[in-house]
Amino acid sequence: MKLGSPFRPRLLSALLISIFLGSAPATPAQERGELRIATSYKLMTLDPQYANLNENTSLLSHIYERLVYQDDNLELKPGLATSWRPLSDTQWAFKLREKVRFHDGSAFDADDVVYAIERIRDFLKPPSGGFRSYVSGIKSVSAPDPLTVLIETDGAVPNLPLFFSSLFVMNRPAKGFETTEDLNAGHPPNGTGPYRFESWSSGESLRLARNDDYWGGKPAWSKVTFRVIENPAARVAALSTGEVDVADAIPARDVASLKERGARVASVGAARVNFVQFDVARDTLPGVTDKSGEAIANPFKNPLVRRALTLATDRGILVGKILAGYGTAAAQVFPNGLPGTSAKLLPEAPNYDEAKMLLAKAGFPDGFNLVLAGPAGRYPGDAESLQAVAQSWARIGVNAQPAAAPFSVFNTKRAAGDYGVWYGGTSGEAVDIILHTLLASPDPERGTGALNFGKYRNEAFDAMLARAESIAVGPERNAALAQATELVMADQPIIPLYHFHHIVGYGSRIGSYVLHPRGWTTAMQTLPAME
């Protein structure tokens, strides 16, 4: 049985291009003072190359820019690079935009791109979820002239331009590499973006000022203040009372009441997946016991158990009730219809009888106990999803105790191995990026498995993914990615739950808010109301 509806990419308007390539230029009637945004994103660092998390990439995109941009169909568009082309299987040339300046007045050129790549590849040692995998295949990078970057890769990397749609370019310092500590300690961020850095209070606020010299045109807002409000109800309240102009990550249950109070709402299907992930590597797991509370061998090593829990998961409740229809049931890492997805993979309705039979066949006729961990307030419906999944699993004898925690706490504990099974989410530029980081075998040399906290390994899948990644962008590559996805999903290393919809609310000072499926929250998406 198919649940939910397929993803239908929207056509990209000229207005949307201008917004996301930088900033929609302001007209005198549009220009406003301070834009106030309540965001769920807690900026963790001022280093734009440290962690590949939406809170960093979204907020720091005001200050820094990328060579390449992805539109809302996930197609590549020029950013700081105006064009790119392969010279051979292992060589690429990127032409850069002229007359671009950093916030300190220095000119942007190819040396800055060289610095950015070398800093990520050779200098930074970030936690899981960094950007190193995007540049690990780059053998050398050079600048034959100020507006040309030549890149040589260790092997064929046909998707290289896509990787650059995630990497921010920094200004090369006089010597050496800037450290993350230096950037966080007060070295003013120096980018080419539409807004300049003013101040940052970790976990509380980010203040920006308009870059009047921005190459893409004068931004609409003279000041932008992001207030970090992690509690969804508090964000809704701040918007309702007029304390802020925009609030992101609005819970679906609050949409109707916000509209009744005069706010408007924008939504779009997310190019991402929320899922349950299993630790399949360790022999025993924290929080996983038999019904008497005694430790047992890791049940998730058995694919029958993983399959049973998949069959006992009611995605219809998650999408229909918890997300109030603002989501699509998932069976793979991206919504059906996007490049690289499989038309054969469709969400299944729960089958509790078959799930019980599989559990019994795996040696757990009475089920077992577990702690189901996850973040609270990080994703739409996250804490409620934990509860709903636990209730579904109870029907086959698996007693799951939900354990929701603030994302920073959850993320630290997950990385430390404190959980045996957890709810999570991830987004990326393309299907292969998600497969590469979430499901490929962990391999620091290859840069794979950065988000594979369950330490899942499947050599056949790794080989299929590597083959797909060796094919040039196009239908053949998409078909190969779909086949790799079909193989790995049959083994159930994760349970895809849903692709939620991004929902943003905005008040009377805002004329429109243009959403992107990657889920960014920026001032550039926010156009002032006309007087």
Side-chain angles (χ1 to χ4, degrees):
M1 175 181 176
K2 181 180 176 183
L3 298 176
S5 58
F7 179 87
R8 294 182 175 87
R10 296 173 292 125
L11 294 177
L12 185 65
S13 66
L15 174 62
L16 190 67
I17 294 175
S18 70
I19 291 171
F20 281 108
L21 284 183
S23 178
T27 66
Q30 285 181 310
E31 189 173 322
R32 292 293 184 274
E34 182 182 14
L35 173 67
R36 305 160 300 167
I37 300 177
T39 181
S40 59
Y41 290 145
K42 184 177 181 180
L43 184 62
M44 300 174 67
T45 176
L46 291 178
D47 186 338
Q49 299 173 343
Y50 184 72
N52 188 11
L53 295 171
N54 247 15
E55 50 264 67
N56 295 329
T57 58
S58 178
L59 299 186
L60 293 179
S61 68
H62 295 79
I63 302 169
Y64 298 97
E65 295 183 289
R66 307 169 176 92
L67 291 180
V68 181
Y69 162 73
Q70 267 190 310
D71 68 21
D72 73 339
N73 289 322
L74 305 187
E75 301 291 342
L76 298 181
K77 301 293 181 182
L80 288 176
T82 57
S83 65
W84 49 90
R85 63 188 179 94
L87 304 178
S88 69
D89 286 345
T90 59
Q91 291 182 315
W92 286 81
F94 286 76
K95 289 294 183 181
L96 305 183
R97 193 174 296 277
E98 298 182 63
K99 299 179 181 179
V100 174
R101 293 196 170 274
F102 287 92
H103 296 160
D104 66 357
S106 59
F108 160 73
D109 63 25
D111 282 338
D112 300 305
V113 179
V114 173
Y115 170 76
I117 293 172
E118 291 181 341
R119 182 174 185 264
I120 296 169
R121 185 191 63 187
D122 304 330
F123 178 72
L124 287 180
K125 299 188 183 300
S128 296
F131 293 100
R132 182 168 291 179
S133 64
Y134 295 84
V135 297
S136 60
I138 294 177
K139 183 178 180 180
S140 65
V141 55
S142 60
D145 65 64
L147 294 177
T148 303
V149 176
L150 293 181
I151 294 173
E152 184 176 357
T153 59
D154 287 322
V157 186
N159 223 21
L160 187 67
L162 176 65
F163 293 165
F164 286 123
S165 71
S166 287
L167 305 181
F168 287 122
V169 177
M170 299 173 65
N171 183 225
R172 178 188 282 276
K175 60 180 179 179
F177 292 107
E178 286 187 284
T179 69
T180 300
E181 291 74 20
D182 285 342
L183 289 167
N184 289 338
H187 286 204
N190 184 27
T192 61
Y195 290 91
R196 302 170 182 267
F197 174 82
E198 281 205 336
S199 66
W200 171 55
S201 179
S202 180
E204 295 182 11
S205 65
L206 174 68
R207 299 182 186 278
L208 306 165
R210 179 169 55 204
N211 176 14
D212 288 328
D213 298 322
Y214 180 58
W215 63 266
K218 187 177 180 180
W221 305 95
S222 61
K223 299 279 187 181
V224 179
T225 297
F226 284 90
R227 287 177 51 193
V228 179
I229 304 179
E230 294 187 89
N231 183 278
R235 287 196 302 278
V236 170
L239 179 61
S240 298
T241 59
E243 294 177 41
V244 298
D245 303 302
V246 176
D248 66 15
I250 297 295
R253 63 176 178 269
D254 292 319
V255 168
S257 62
L258 271 177
K259 290 181 176 180
E260 290 174 358
R261 285 176 275 180
R264 284 174 288 172
V265 170
S267 69
V268 69
R272 61 171 305 120
V273 65
N274 284 68
F275 53 85
V276 170
Q277 189 172 35
F278 304 104
D279 185 323
V280 299
R282 289 181 285 176
D283 292 331
T284 58
L285 298 173
V288 180
T289 70
D290 62 19
K291 290 299 183 69
S292 65
E294 296 296 321
I296 58 175
N298 181 354
F300 308 130
K301 287 188 173 185
N302 191 328
L304 295 178
V305 173
R306 302 196 298 268
R307 176 61 179 158
L309 292 173
T310 299
L311 285 172
T313 301
D314 191 341
R315 297 175 178 88
I317 289 178
L318 300 177
V319 170
K321 293 187 177 180
I322 293 175
L323 298 180
Y326 284 92
T328 305
Q332 53 191 312
V333 298
F334 263 13
N336 285 19
L338 284 178
T341 57
S342 169
K344 297 178 182 179
L345 293 175
L346 302 174
E348 298 174 279
N351 187 329
Y352 300 108
D353 291 336
E354 184 178 348
K356 288 179 182 178
M357 291 173 56
L358 290 174
L359 271 189
K361 187 175 180 179
F364 299 98
D366 299 322
F368 51 89
N369 298 336
L370 60 84
V371 174
L372 179 60
R378 170 72 173 179
Y379 309 111
D382 48 15
E384 297 92 336
S385 292
L386 288 181
Q387 296 284 346
V389 171
Q391 291 171 11
S392 290
W393 289 358
R395 296 184 61 170
I396 63 169
V398 175
N399 295 331
Q401 177 186 345
F407 179 72
S408 57
V409 175
F410 164 77
N411 198 36
T412 300
K413 289 189 173 184
R414 179 178 59 177
D418 289 355
Y419 305 134
V421 56
W422 55 90
Y423 162 99
T426 189
S427 63
E429 302 83 352
V431 163
D432 52 304
I433 301 296
I434 302 297
L435 296 176
H436 191 90
T437 57
L438 183 64
L439 296 173
S441 299
D443 186 339
E445 292 298 319
R446 293 179 57 232
T448 57
L451 298 180
N452 184 354
F453 295 106
K455 301 297 186 286
Y456 171 75
R457 294 181 180 274
N458 185 326
E459 292 183 2
F461 166 68
D462 291 340
M464 290 184 72
L465 178 59
R467 176 187 172 276
E469 291 179 321
S470 71
I471 303 171
V473 174
E476 184 183 354
R477 180 189 182 95
N478 292 338
L481 288 170
Q483 291 171 1
T485 301
E486 290 163 11
L487 183 142
V488 74
M489 286 295 102
D491 205 23
Q492 305 285 179
I494 64 171
I495 303 176
L497 297 177
Y498 51 75
H499 314 287
F500 66 72
H501 294 179
H502 298 296
I503 308 174
V504 169
Y506 55 97
S508 59
R509 297 181 66 234
I510 308 303
S512 64
Y513 189 92
V514 183
L515 276 161
H516 191 282
R518 291 287 303 280
W520 299 313
T521 302
T522 74
M524 293 82 80
Q525 296 161 252
T526 313
L527 299 182
M530 300 291 288
E531 290 184 343

